[in-house]
Amino acid sequence: MPVSSLLVSSSLALQLVSGAAPAGAKPVSTPSAAPVKAYMPPLATAEKLVGPALTEGRAYARLAELTDGIGPRLSGSEGAAAAVQWALRSFKADGVKAWTEPVKVPRWVRGEERGEVLASPLTRGHPLHLLALGGSPPTAPEGLTAEVVEVTSLEQLAALGESVKGKIVFFNHTMAVPADYGRFAGLRGRGPAVAAKAGAAGALVRSLATASLSTPHTGSTRFDDAGPRIPAASITTENAELLHRLLAKGAVRVKLVLGGSELPDADSHNVVAEIRGREKPQEIVLISAHLDSWDVGTGAHDDGAGVVMVMEAARLIAKLPQAPRRTVRVVLYMNEENGLAGGRAYAEAHAAEIPKHVAAMEMDSGGGRPVGVSLRAGAGGQALLQPWMSPLVSLGAAAFSSREAGGADISPLMPARVPFFGVEVDASRYFDVHHTHADTLDKVDPQDLARSTAATAWVTYAMAESPETLARPEAPASAPVAAPPKAATGH
Amino acid sequence: MPVSSLLVSSSLALQLVSGAAPAGAKPVSTPSAAPVKAYMPPLATAEKLVGPALTEGRAYARLAELTDGIGPRLSGSEGAAAAVQWALRSFKADGVKAWTEPVKVPRWVRGEERGEVLASPLTRGHPLHLLALGGSPPTAPEGLTAEVVEVTSLEQLAALGESVKGKIVFFNHTMAVPADYGRFAGLRGRGPAVAAKAGAAGALVRSLATASLSTPHTGSTRFDDAGPRIPAASITTENAELLHRLLAKGAVRVKLVLGGSELPDADSHNVVAEIRGREKPQEIVLISAHLDSWDVGTGAHDDGAGVVMVMEAARLIAKLPQAPRRTVRVVLYMNEENGLAGGRAYAEAHAAEIPKHVAAMEMDSGGGRPVGVSLRAGAGGQALLQPWMSPLVSLGAAAFSSREAGGADISPLMPARVPFFGVEVDASRYFDVHHTHADTLDKVDPQDLARSTAATAWVTYAMAESPETLARPEAPASAPVAAPPKAATGH
């Protein structure tokens, strides 16, 4: 149905449009943009998306299948392979066409791991509660014993020069709130590689955590292909505080035994699904999340929640009497956590299609309640979406966020200037459990998840149905980094 | 100095006393008690106790020695023995006479421990995060594999009869706030013994926790001397929720490997110290805490905080120009956590002296800020203490608590009707870390600890200096149980 016929087909709609955007009124949110064309979105459709998302509990039930049933899903693991098959089966059950696309992924496996602060005049000794960082090589079987040197930045490490040779560099920091993640994630991501180049024998990184009950947070660390690699682990904030207190009084020696190791790259898959658009099927609205998780916990918030949100959005959109104008494509990426191979593989395999990607989102900040809508687009984006916001009011998500939309796996689409959108969720407690044994189903509130699922479904529909598409944003000043944009945005 | 001379020695004091208790006015808190004699406590002394407690940071520094320096202190361990020597040295450094008294303690040692939910049609399997309960026997070296049966009460277990034979009984509950501890502690303390008698092969108990980030809480379980014993462990609340969800769908089998075991009883000690009273040295005000801790974490809140509060109270009272009227005796009990042998040994060794114990307190609810004063005494207790309350106002502790004072280690003094007193502390987050790896120094706020230390010192002094002593309470209706009274009072 062309736009004009929709606009004139209902006197009620006309009346509402007149009320929503009276002639001559400037759009509230984009005073400098061109006036928005009067358009009445099909609000009756909102009921068909928001209603079931809030009442049927399908997203939560599916999250239970993924977390309780399948469990951890680190790239290359049996769990990851099981999740790919589960996603295919689930899309099929939903009547959504789906397929896999090949991704070669790194395969890091955790081994035995333990550590201790050795007895000294300062202490009778303490166990360390740690998790090897993904990418860490193993210690020798008998372990690594060395003195600890504390630093709080890469600059401070550089200033120490040769004095760290043979020692274990301890990266301490002051993360207290989610927004600190971006400030300190580099200590985990790059600190061990830098310490290795300086001749250190090992690295310990304070967990990137907003809370701890003796809860280490793992994560990825990246060594240069040609550079030296040293065993590296995260320790609990409690252990970091202990080391800090002891080091203030004298020398501290630590013993580490880490068995983690990198196996040969493995064959894995992205799972891709789509609902073909009724008018412009070649135009693609991509919605995504990552199917892999860390090997501890069950990845309920990271990123099981995102997975089930976009799967449920697709299921509900597929059940509508009429498909939206454009194609909605779901991608469940593999290997966000320790490589981003899935995001790159998609961008490469679909290079010819990327100019037709009119919008992309990745839900990857946990299963909290929705708090707003974010965009990364050219001028006029908010004005374009404004007429679609009313169904989000009761979900608590009708505000535009000041944050830019983004996502690690969709970052390879940035050079092509694909506009991004997103549903921003409450992530205030996300870093309590992120990358820990505690990222489990019980941490996800079913009602919060349902509300974010409803918002995701509706905003996706808006992108696929809106007569206009988002203006393309500027290309990034530099090539997108391999590090998850999470680190930059605070997620 | 006799009471009368103190009362008339200062016109200011007389004036204040007149204001505090005008002639003919009834005491506010004890309308049925006899009128309180006008008495002006030596408030100038408060400065000498409260001031240093708040400003010198000695309690916190000492807590660092005990937790970072010595570490865990389970009865019979090297850590417990080191703590005894540390306490003796510390009292000596403070100029407080101290000695040890022998206590024969149980010696339970933790071994290897792991568990898993086995793969089934419901799940690919999950590791269990657990801690063997103190008192648990080991499994066979190859472990114990059995089906799980969930119960939420001992009554429900009894109703299952023979059907639990050979199975692992899983005790689930709904603890959410500290006051729930008393309701559910029996599942840990007695559940495994009752399950064993019913023929169960093992027991799992949901951690008694008000928060969890994959954080198991250990604790003691008690088997009857002549009864059967089965391996028993606490699991995280996350794992408890997982088992509950899976069991709602079908059969669940678990494998446990527990290596904990009971060694022969060991020789250990209570540490006793005292400041001899200047007028009535035979009358004893006992202040106490327990020196032992669980073997995980470093017992910072449980009960390192109590230990350093009463040690610092003694140090500050010993430094006063004049000792208080009565003897202040400090007891650092051994074996509160898994036996109460220290509390019993003290009561037995000092049986002849117990009638001269005019008041006793045990600080064992963590290092939170003070919120009030509690009593367990005959009529008139609040009226007796009321004139001493003003220095507690600025500490936030000038209210009388509706809770009865008590303590596990002083419970053997109840049949002799020894009055109890206590400084009540904020324990709202105590059960987040109680009996876990996370009970570490970082969880104790130095200012909160200083304030509770100040309140402890002052209330102790009040008890030792007040002209009158607390009336004795009624004897308990039944003999005090071996279970920590914590379970009854919510601490």
Side-chain angles (χ1 to χ4, degrees):
Chain A
M1 195 191 304
V3 179
S4 58
S5 68
L6 184 72
L7 280 172
V8 298
S9 66
S10 157
S11 61
L12 173 63
L14 269 175
Q15 185 184 334
L16 285 169
V17 169
S18 302
K26 279 188 182 177
V28 173
S29 305
T30 56
S32 63
V36 175
K37 289 181 190 169
Y39 170 70
M40 178 56 204
L43 292 177
T45 302
E47 283 179 30
K48 298 188 175 68
L49 298 176
V50 173
L54 291 183
T55 58
E56 292 181 3
R58 289 284 293 263
Y60 191 80
R62 198 152 258 174
L63 186 57
E65 294 172 13
L66 182 60
T67 56
D68 288 355
I70 290 173
R73 310 173 288 282
L74 190 58
S75 291
S77 68
E78 289 181 20
V84 167
Q85 294 308 312
W86 166 85
L88 281 178
R89 282 197 310 274
S90 301
F91 280 122
K92 187 174 177 186
D94 291 347
V96 178
K97 180 186 164 193
W99 61 93
T100 60
E101 298 186 357
V103 184
K104 201 75 155 180
V105 295
R107 185 166 183 208
W108 181 83
V109 292
R110 191 173 300 281
E112 176 190 15
E113 48 191 19
R114 54 196 161 84
E116 59 180 310
V117 175
L118 297 177
S120 76
L122 298 175
T123 177
R124 297 181 61 255
H126 293 273
L128 288 172
H129 300 278
L130 53 75
L131 286 171
L133 294 178
S136 171
T139 60
E142 70 276 16
L144 161 67
T145 301
E147 195 176 325
V148 175
V149 179
E150 177 178 355
V151 299
T152 57
S153 68
L154 298 183
E155 294 70 26
Q156 195 183 351
L157 173 59
L160 290 176
E162 302 237 320
S163 69
V164 303
K165 272 211 160 86
K167 298 189 176 158
I168 293 173
V169 175
F170 158 44
F171 294 93
N172 201 1
H173 57 79
T174 57
M175 180 168 178
V177 295
D180 289 338
Y181 188 74
R183 289 173 61 197
F184 300 121
L187 296 180
R188 185 196 73 207
R190 293 296 296 160
V194 176
K197 284 180 190 168
L204 293 174
V205 183
R206 181 189 179 113
S207 287
L208 293 160
T210 44
S212 183
L213 291 168
S214 191
T215 315
H217 295 228
T218 189
S220 187
T221 198
R222 297 180 304 284
F223 295 101
D224 297 333
D225 286 342
R229 294 170 184 237
I230 54 176
S234 62
I235 56 174
T236 61
T237 59
E238 287 91 342
N239 284 163
E241 294 287 329
L242 171 71
L243 287 178
H244 179 76
R245 289 191 301 267
L246 294 176
L247 286 164
K249 295 179 183 171
V252 176
R253 287 168 64 79
V254 154
K255 178 177 180 182
L256 298 178
V257 179
L258 301 180
S261 58
E262 201 86 54
L263 304 183
D265 286 356
D267 292 319
S268 186
H269 303 87
N270 291 333
V271 178
V272 186
E274 71 178 26
I275 300 147
R276 196 169 163 80
R278 72 170 190 280
E279 263 185 25
K280 300 181 174 181
Q282 77 286 5
E283 290 189 7
I284 295 164
V285 173
L286 186 156
I287 64 174
S288 69
H290 65 86
L291 198 50
D292 64 309
S293 77
W294 275 104
D295 60 334
V296 296
T298 57
H301 275 295
D302 187 15
D303 182 26
V307 166
V308 299
M309 283 182 208
V310 296
M311 290 176 80
E312 184 66 355
R315 183 183 78 88
L316 293 170
I317 291 170
K319 282 181 68 181
L320 292 174
Q322 190 181 48
R325 209 177 296 273
R326 298 181 191 85
T327 291
V328 172
R329 181 176 290 174
V330 185
V331 185
L332 304 181
Y333 291 103
M334 184 55 65
N335 189 225
E336 190 272 349
E337 293 295 4
N338 61 333
L340 231 48
R344 290 203 200 90
Y346 179 87
E348 286 167 22
H350 296 267
E353 253 185 344
I354 288 183
K356 299 287 186 146
H357 283 58
V358 300
M361 71 137 68
E362 180 168 24
M363 293 302 292
D364 185 20
S365 296
R369 68 187 166 82
V371 295
V373 173
S374 59
L375 289 172
R376 182 177 189 279
Q382 292 189 7
L384 181 144
L385 258 183
Q386 187 63 56
W388 299 81
M389 297 297 273
S390 63
L392 299 178
V393 172
S394 66
L395 298 173
F400 285 107
S401 170
S402 59
R403 292 192 189 176
E404 277 204 339
D409 293 302
I410 57 175
S411 62
L413 308 178
M414 289 172 80
R417 302 174 56 207
V418 174
F420 292 162
F421 68 110
V423 172
E424 190 165 325
V425 302
D426 174 18
S428 54
R429 301 264 55 97
Y430 182 65
F431 288 102
D432 291 2
V433 301
H434 177 253
H435 297 188
T436 75
H437 285 292
D439 186 5
T440 46
L441 185 64
D442 54 291
K443 303 304 187 308
V444 178
D445 179 84
Q447 288 307 309
D448 288 349
L449 181 72
R451 289 164 69 187
S452 282
T453 301
T456 298
W458 176 247
V459 177
T460 299
Y461 181 80
M463 288 294 169
E465 182 65 19
S466 172
E468 309 281 333
T469 57
L470 293 169
R472 292 193 174 256
E474 295 302 307
S478 57
V481 292
K486 282 184 187 182
T489 62
H491 293 267
Chain B
M1 195 189 304
V3 180
S4 55
S5 66
L6 185 71
L7 279 172
V8 297
S9 64
S10 158
S11 61
L12 174 63
L14 268 175
Q15 185 183 337
L16 286 169
V17 168
S18 303
K26 281 187 180 177
V28 173
S29 306
T30 56
S32 62
V36 174
K37 289 181 189 170
Y39 170 70
M40 178 57 202
L43 292 175
T45 302
E47 281 178 32
K48 298 189 175 69
L49 298 176
V50 172
L54 291 183
T55 58
E56 293 180 2
R58 289 284 295 263
Y60 191 79
R62 199 151 257 176
L63 186 58
E65 294 172 12
L66 182 60
T67 56
D68 288 356
I70 290 173
R73 311 174 287 284
L74 190 58
S75 291
S77 68
E78 289 180 19
V84 167
Q85 295 307 313
W86 166 85
L88 280 178
R89 283 197 310 274
S90 301
F91 279 123
K92 187 175 178 185
D94 290 349
V96 178
K97 179 185 165 195
W99 62 93
T100 60
E101 299 186 356
V103 184
K104 201 74 155 180
V105 295
R107 185 166 183 210
W108 181 83
V109 292
R110 191 173 301 282
E112 176 190 15
E113 47 191 20
R114 53 197 162 83
E116 59 181 310
V117 175
L118 297 178
S120 75
L122 299 175
T123 178
R124 296 181 62 255
H126 293 273
L128 288 172
H129 300 279
L130 53 75
L131 287 171
L133 294 178
S136 171
T139 60
E142 70 276 16
L144 160 67
T145 301
E147 196 175 327
V148 176
V149 178
E150 178 179 352
V151 300
T152 56
S153 68
L154 299 183
E155 294 70 25
Q156 196 183 354
L157 173 59
L160 289 175
E162 303 237 320
S163 69
V164 303
K165 271 212 161 84
K167 297 188 177 159
I168 293 172
V169 175
F170 159 43
F171 293 92
N172 201 1
H173 56 79
T174 57
M175 180 168 179
V177 294
D180 290 338
Y181 188 74
R183 289 173 62 196
F184 299 122
L187 297 180
R188 186 195 73 208
R190 292 296 297 160
V194 176
K197 285 182 189 167
L204 293 174
V205 183
R206 181 189 180 115
S207 287
L208 293 160
T210 45
S212 183
L213 291 167
S214 193
T215 315
H217 295 229
T218 189
S220 187
T221 198
R222 298 181 303 284
F223 294 100
D224 298 333
D225 286 342
R229 294 170 185 239
I230 55 175
S234 62
I235 56 174
T236 61
T237 59
E238 287 91 343
N239 284 163
E241 294 287 329
L242 172 70
L243 287 178
H244 179 77
R245 289 191 300 269
L246 293 176
L247 285 164
K249 294 178 182 170
V252 176
R253 287 168 65 80
V254 155
K255 179 178 180 181
L256 298 177
V257 178
L258 302 180
S261 58
E262 201 86 53
L263 304 183
D265 285 357
D267 292 319
S268 187
H269 302 87
N270 291 334
V271 179
V272 187
E274 73 179 24
I275 301 146
R276 196 170 163 80
R278 72 170 192 280
E279 261 186 26
K280 300 182 175 180
Q282 78 287 4
E283 289 189 6
I284 295 164
V285 173
L286 186 155
I287 64 174
S288 68
H290 65 85
L291 198 51
D292 63 310
S293 77
W294 275 103
D295 61 333
V296 296
T298 58
H301 274 296
D302 187 14
D303 182 25
V307 166
V308 299
M309 283 182 207
V310 297
M311 290 177 80
E312 183 67 355
R315 183 184 78 87
L316 293 171
I317 291 170
K319 283 181 68 181
L320 291 175
Q322 188 181 48
R325 209 179 296 273
R326 299 181 191 83
T327 291
V328 172
R329 181 176 291 173
V330 185
V331 185
L332 304 181
Y333 291 104
M334 184 54 65
N335 189 227
E336 189 272 350
E337 294 294 5
N338 61 334
L340 231 48
R344 290 204 198 90
Y346 179 86
E348 286 167 21
H350 296 267
E353 252 185 343
I354 288 184
K356 300 288 187 143
H357 282 58
V358 299
M361 71 136 70
E362 180 167 25
M363 293 301 293
D364 185 21
S365 296
R369 69 186 167 82
V371 296
V373 173
S374 58
L375 289 172
R376 183 178 187 280
Q382 291 188 9
L384 181 146
L385 258 182
Q386 188 62 56
W388 300 80
M389 298 296 273
S390 64
L392 300 177
V393 171
S394 67
L395 298 174
F400 285 108
S401 170
S402 59
R403 291 191 189 178
E404 277 204 339
D409 292 302
I410 57 176
S411 62
L413 308 179
M414 289 173 79
R417 301 174 55 207
V418 174
F420 292 162
F421 68 110
V423 172
E424 190 164 324
V425 303
D426 175 17
S428 55
R429 302 263 54 97
Y430 181 65
F431 288 102
D432 292 3
V433 301
H434 176 255
H435 297 189
T436 74
H437 285 292
D439 185 5
T440 46
L441 185 64
D442 55 290
K443 303 303 188 310
V444 178
D445 179 85
Q447 288 307 309
D448 288 349
L449 181 72
R451 289 164 69 187
S452 283
T453 300
T456 298
W458 176 246
V459 178
T460 299
Y461 182 79
M463 288 294 169
E465 183 63 20
S466 172
E468 310 279 332
T469 56
L470 293 170
R472 295 194 171 255
E474 295 302 307
S478 57
V481 292
K486 282 182 185 181
T489 62
H491 293 263

